[in-house]
Amino acid sequence: MKKIIKIHLYILILVCLSCQTETKKDTNNSTNQKSFKTEIDSIINLMTLEEKVGQMNQYTGFWDATGPTPESGNQAVKYEHLKKGLVGSMLNVRGAKQVKALQKIAVEETRLGIPLIFGFDVIHGFKTISPIPLAESASWDLEAIKKSAQNAAEESAASGINWTFAPMVDISRDARWGRVMEGAGEDPYLGSKIAIARVRGFQGDDLSSPKTIAACAKHFAAYGFPNAGREYNTADIGTSTLYNLVFPPFKAATDADVKTFMNAFNLLNDIPATGNVFLQREVLKGEWNFNGFMVSDWGSIGEMIPHGYAKNNKHAAELAIKAGSDMDMESNAYVTELANLVKEGTVKESLVDDAVRRILRVKFELGLFDDPYKYCNEETEKNVIGKKVFHEDALDIAKKSIVLLKNKNNLLPLKKQGQKIAVIGALANDKTSPLGNWVLAGENGSAVSVLEGLKQYKGNLITYAEGAKVALPNSKLHFTQELDINKTDKSGFSAAIKLARRSDVVVMVLGEHGLQSGEARSRTNIDLPGVQQELLEEVFKVNKNIVLVLTNGRPLAITWAAENLPAIVETWQLGTQNGNAIAQVLYGDYNPSGKLPMTFPRSVGQVPIFYNYKNTGRPNIKVRKEVFKSRYIDEENTPLYPFGHGLSYTTFSYKNLNINKAPEKEINVTVDVTNTGKVKGKEVVQLYIQDKVASVARPVKELKGFEMIELAPKETKTIEFTLTEKELGFYTNKGAFIVEPGEFNVYVGGSSDTKLSSKFNLD
Ligand code: NOJ
């Protein structure tokens, strides 16, 4: 016993001493990067093989940490492992007291006292819930997105967390895939900017601050391209898509110094991402020089067995470590098999050492060796959770995330006085669905409902009818299996119709409940679920003044609504402040400024549909009589609403698009944007390019710049963009980034279907 304590203290002393010397040395280091090499080496020298493997083992929270310890079963085994130093990380544990209890075991009861790192899915807020990531992405406001991640970091860190499994930077073009709610949409340029904003928000400038946590770029790679949009399905994508679309946000996260990566459940071209040497060793740790660590997805090492890639858990462990997976989340493969694999010579111990080094470095960077309990102060937790400023910021980004899809005859904004407004749809009165999926620490019923938000405006008579049941307000968040929505019960229709008939305006809140999107929520039909479409059409028969407030976690095919209704507002799932944000937009106290980060299809048959497609050899589809063209016989090729679309209560004109060549292969693009309407408004000015002829065919348009501006009525601003080689180049099918001379088109406007264009030649 004495000896154990001695070793433990020895490390702490050694570590403290060397931290001091490193810190001194690093004050002159402009990158502010510490390698902690000496400290890590000294710890590795003291570790047994089993202890090293322990650092690579991650368990989910398994018993009430502050209650009695488990005596038998799986939980008891995990508890024993923890005491023996065979656990390096835990997930799903939260609360300063709970985290501290487990950390205490790691630090005070194991031989070497190495602290645990606590991971959690802090996806869009912690207790204070921000809009779902797809919604936030619709704000195109990188500062607001960064702030949202920063607040989530501070709030979760106060509750013991020091590592989030976010951001999910998977590009996806498939609205059937429920997990699009967790990403930044379909575009690699926007996705990369948002990835950087989120990583910087979570990690801040100083990872050792108790307000910042390590981020995790996930899921590497191509998880957002499941065949047929079905969750966990194989991704079959070409090299060009992999390099030019899937990789860029991951690369951007790496360049922003993201501390961890998570691999993915899917096969990529028939090799599991978790066992993929090319992805993890060659690209990420090789070419990109990533020096953080790679955690597997939940059980994904073991899932290589049903994939038909690994024979058994032992084989899976071997394949995963060789491919570069550093930490095993809940497969039990490393903790049971890895030491033996090393002892029998199948796996080199240097691979284990490398993984452990990476994990320890992040723990050092978080400051866990200085103070393993720094995230575990109950007083801080009480003061930080739900801070007023978090709610103010959540409201700010919620307003910015709303996209005005249609507003015929200026039905919106609503008048503030003397109106009879019928609010129809169960989702209007739902205080849980607006939180969306991935709200593990959030409370059911903690969102402001749309109805509550609208009722704050006292000048109108607001009445409500459910119309059709859809929501699951009492369900256990995330894990419920009751995912379906009412498909038969129309008992509420007549009351809703009656109400609509005697109202001036009808606000219909329709869409998906909070758990219809997210992980394992793929749909084959992306219309309004259940009987909601029927309800909408019935109400329309008696009152045409309908404002459709959509609430959903993915693009929906709302073609009938787009053709028939005067006003449609996409509100996604906006989190805690949902109803307040929606009311402010509907009443014009916030002029909507959001732009779609994903294309809205006319029907599910068009999916995957996206703006940055390549021309076929038969692109001209204008002449209907020509049969042999790339088109459908029963539907347009065009989307219902394009990527980048979003209206305002004012209008903007774009003029004087000028292109000037600058030295160093730089191109300057300027454009004059004028507010031509009657109210102040914000616009996201978007710039797209087309490389007309290239050795790898390029898309018809690619986003390469955007800027959010605010203009008073009649005000004009000249906006300038600079295109450098970074924007003008692309990846070849061998993964080389090249810039080719030739003709480029440039498009500037308020959405991806802008027609304002000019061109230049790159020498
Ligand atoms: C599985 C998900 O795919 C991943 O994104 C998440 O972080 C883990 N589960 C842990 O909850």
Side-chain angles (χ1 to χ4, degrees):
M1 183 66 185
K2 263 186 194 153
K3 192 170 157 220
I4 293 173
I5 294 171
K6 230 173 162 179
I7 295 173
H8 178 73
L9 287 178
Y10 167 74
I11 292 179
L12 283 182
I13 292 162
L14 182 85
V15 160
C16 293
L17 281 176
S18 39
C19 283
Q20 282 165 11
T21 44
E22 285 266 345
T23 314
K24 265 189 213 140
K25 206 168 56 201
D26 288 333
T27 42
N28 294 329
N29 181 345
S30 57
T31 62
N32 198 23
Q33 289 280 350
K34 296 178 202 164
S35 73
F36 296 102
K37 188 172 174 319
T38 331
E39 296 88 330
I40 292 168
D41 282 347
S42 56
I43 295 180
I44 296 234
N45 283 340
L46 291 169
M47 293 174 97
T48 63
L49 177 58
E50 284 70 19
E51 283 165 340
K52 290 178 190 173
V53 170
Q55 285 304 303
M56 301 164 70
N57 182 34
Q58 184 185 50
Y59 282 147
T60 190
F62 43 87
W63 84 99
D64 177 7
T66 53
T69 48
E71 276 165 16
S72 62
N74 188 24
Q75 296 189 344
V77 174
K78 288 180 166 183
Y79 179 59
E80 281 311 306
H81 281 180
L82 182 59
K83 288 201 296 188
K84 283 189 192 146
L86 299 182
V87 182
S89 171
M90 296 194 60
L91 76 152
N92 292 333
V93 183
R94 66 182 147 95
K97 198 169 172 188
Q98 283 74 7
V99 170
K100 190 169 188 175
L102 293 167
Q103 190 70 296
K104 215 162 174 256
I105 298 175
V107 172
E108 293 175 23
E109 294 188 35
T110 68
R111 192 179 75 95
L112 295 178
I114 299 173
L116 297 164
I117 177 171
F118 288 87
F120 199 85
D121 288 284
V122 184
I123 305 297
H124 52 114
F126 184 65
K127 274 265 185 224
T128 313
I129 304 297
S130 295
I132 57 170
L134 185 66
E136 285 194 354
S137 306
S139 75
W140 296 51
D141 186 328
L142 301 174
E143 272 311 306
I145 292 171
K146 183 174 160 199
K147 183 98 231 157
S148 165
Q150 193 178 317
N151 290 346
E154 186 182 341
E155 204 179 40
S156 56
S159 204
I161 312 300
N162 36 48
W163 175 25
T164 175
F165 305 125
M168 183 185 103
V169 304
D170 297 305
I171 295 298
S172 184
R173 296 165 154 180
D174 201 324
R176 293 169 299 183
W177 188 51
R179 238 177 149 172
V180 296
M181 58 78 59
E182 201 182 334
E186 73 188 38
D187 183 67
Y189 181 86
L190 179 62
S192 299
K193 298 278 179 206
I194 290 176
I196 296 168
R198 290 192 167 134
V199 169
R200 293 203 175 131
F202 287 126
Q203 297 189 167
D205 298 329
D206 175 11
L207 199 61
S208 71
S209 151
K211 294 183 179 183
T212 57
I213 60 180
C216 179
K218 70 187 189 187
H219 306 83
F220 201 57
Y223 178 54
F225 283 77
N227 282 342
R230 177 159 53 79
E231 183 63 292
Y232 312 132
N233 210 357
T234 301
D236 283 314
I237 58 169
T239 336
S240 180
T241 301
L242 187 64
Y243 281 111
N244 289 295
L245 224 94
V246 170
F247 281 169
F250 286 104
K251 175 76 168 58
T254 311
D255 294 343
D257 200 23
V258 70
K259 295 298 167 189
T260 72
F261 258 59
M262 186 185 289
N263 52 36
F265 291 123
N266 55 287
L267 296 178
L268 170 60
N269 301 326
D270 299 344
I271 312 282
T274 304
N276 200 308
V277 178
F278 162 72
L279 287 177
Q280 299 173 97
R281 289 239 179 258
E282 291 174 20
V283 175
L284 180 65
K285 293 178 177 175
E287 254 173 71
W288 298 354
N289 208 14
F290 170 69
N291 66 8
F293 71 86
M294 169 71 81
V295 64
S296 79
D297 203 344
W298 181 289
S300 69
I301 297 181
E303 288 187 14
M304 291 198 286
I305 304 166
H307 272 309
Y309 191 70
K311 281 185 277 209
N312 48 35
N313 230 23
K314 184 172 179 186
H315 190 207
E318 176 195 338
L319 292 168
I321 177 77
K322 285 185 173 166
S325 298
D326 301 308
M327 187 181 276
D328 172 1
M329 182 194 286
E330 276 290 338
S331 283
N332 272 320
Y334 284 178
V335 73
T336 51
E337 308 292 353
L338 204 45
N340 286 338
L341 283 163
V342 172
K343 283 177 195 156
E344 72 189 32
T346 313
V347 168
K348 287 197 199 120
E349 188 159 355
S350 59
L351 287 187
V352 171
D353 286 352
D354 176 61
V356 175
R357 274 208 167 80
R358 290 166 180 275
I359 293 163
L360 291 180
R361 191 180 308 127
V362 176
K363 291 185 178 182
F364 269 106
E365 288 176 329
L366 283 164
L368 287 169
F369 281 95
D370 288 335
D371 177 5
Y373 305 116
K374 61 192 289 193
Y375 298 90
C376 306
N377 183 321
E378 287 178 62
E379 200 50 39
T380 311
E381 182 177 34
K382 238 184 272 152
N383 296 334
V384 169
I385 298 280
K387 271 202 318 200
K388 192 164 163 253
V389 63
F390 295 160
H391 284 274
E392 287 162 3
D393 292 339
L395 175 59
D396 178 64
I397 193 159
K399 289 187 285 192
K400 290 172 170 167
S401 303
I402 294 172
V403 185
L404 180 62
L405 294 175
K406 184 176 179 189
N407 191 21
K408 204 171 142 202
N409 303 329
N410 295 331
L411 180 58
L412 288 174
L414 298 171
K415 293 191 188 84
K416 287 186 179 164
Q417 297 291 333
Q419 297 278 294
K420 278 187 264 166
I421 298 182
V423 179
I424 294 176
L427 288 166
N429 198 22
D430 186 347
K431 291 170 66 62
T432 297
S433 283
L435 300 174
N437 210 326
W438 285 121
V439 281
L440 303 178
E443 306 288 338
N444 274 356
S446 63
V448 178
S449 72
V450 181
L451 193 57
E452 287 169 333
L454 289 174
K455 278 190 171 167
Q456 289 168 40
Y457 288 76
K458 305 282 184 212
N460 289 329
L461 178 67
I462 309 276
T463 42
Y464 166 71
E466 183 182 57
K469 289 193 193 340
V470 291
L472 297 171
N474 297 317
S475 65
K476 189 166 175 296
L477 285 180
H478 189 58
F479 293 109
T480 179
Q481 293 307 310
E482 302 156 47
L483 299 177
D484 220 347
I485 219 161
N486 160 41
K487 289 193 181 115
T488 49
D489 184 356
K490 299 183 202 163
S491 56
F493 274 32
S494 62
I497 293 165
K498 225 164 151 190
L499 190 64
R501 192 175 277 125
R502 55 170 203 260
S503 300
D504 299 310
V505 179
V506 184
V507 174
M508 294 203 68
V509 183
L510 305 177
E512 298 179 316
H513 68 62
L515 296 173
Q516 269 189 303
S517 57
E519 185 178 349
R521 272 66 168 170
S522 293
R523 294 179 60 195
T524 58
N525 181 338
I526 52 169
D527 300 346
L528 288 173
V531 292
Q532 294 179 96
Q533 178 64 33
E534 216 178 309
L535 173 69
L536 178 60
E537 291 184 32
E538 289 302 315
V539 171
F540 184 73
K541 283 181 191 157
V542 301
N543 192 332
K544 306 264 179 285
N545 274 344
I546 294 180
V547 176
L548 173 59
V549 171
L550 282 174
T551 170
N552 44 299
R554 53 154 70 79
L556 295 178
I558 44 145
T559 309
W560 184 90
E563 280 165 7
N564 293 282
L565 303 183
I568 306 175
V569 188
E570 175 55 80
T571 70
W572 318 101
Q573 288 142 348
L574 294 172
T576 311
Q577 291 291 329
N578 182 72
N580 291 336
I582 293 172
Q584 287 193 27
V585 165
L586 295 189
Y587 277 111
D589 285 342
Y590 183 83
N591 188 354
S593 54
K595 301 278 187 180
L596 292 178
M598 265 188 100
T599 304
F600 270 45
R602 293 174 188 277
S603 81
V604 74
Q606 289 182 313
V607 173
I609 182 169
F610 41 91
Y611 85 95
N612 46 359
Y613 61 89
K614 319 267 164 46
N615 264 334
T616 66
R618 299 180 180 195
N620 183 2
I621 54 160
K622 296 221 174 79
V623 192
R624 256 330 309 170
K625 274 181 249 150
E626 287 183 47
V627 173
F628 296 99
K629 294 288 181 188
S630 178
R631 68 153 87 89
Y632 301 102
I633 60 171
D634 58 353
E635 186 54 278
E636 300 292 318
N637 282 8
T638 55
L640 189 60
Y641 294 112
F643 173 85
H645 169 76
L647 305 172
S648 160
Y649 295 147
T650 189
T651 46
F652 300 97
S653 81
Y654 286 75
K655 283 198 189 104
N656 303 328
L657 175 57
N658 284 316
I659 298 183
N660 293 302
K661 282 192 194 171
E664 308 291 333
K665 282 204 173 167
E666 282 189 5
I667 308 291
N668 284 324
V669 179
T670 55
V671 68
D672 293 340
V673 188
T674 306
N675 181 341
T676 48
K678 293 199 177 76
V679 289
K680 189 168 79 172
K682 286 188 190 141
E683 170 75 329
V684 180
V685 181
Q686 302 159 42
L687 177 141
Y688 298 84
I689 62 163
Q690 181 190 21
D691 183 347
K692 291 197 71 181
V693 179
S695 55
V696 176
R698 306 305 304 139
V700 293
K701 270 180 194 161
E702 290 179 88
L703 182 72
K704 290 295 175 181
F706 63 89
E707 191 175 327
M708 178 175 279
I709 55 168
E710 183 161 33
L711 294 175
K714 300 208 175 68
E715 187 184 352
T716 298
K717 269 188 190 155
T718 303
I719 309 302
E720 188 176 337
F721 294 98
T722 304
L723 295 170
T724 65
E725 294 206 337
K726 211 170 154 205
E727 286 79 30
L728 299 171
F730 58 88
Y731 288 92
T732 67
N733 285 343
K734 295 214 160 70
F737 187 79
I738 58 166
V739 185
E740 289 182 344
E743 197 181 337
F744 284 74
N745 284 332
V746 174
Y747 299 86
V748 178
S751 99
S752 65
D753 76 351
T754 174
K755 305 287 179 290
L756 181 66
S757 74
S758 187
K759 56 179 79 171
F760 65 89
N761 262 297
L762 193 68
D763 311 319

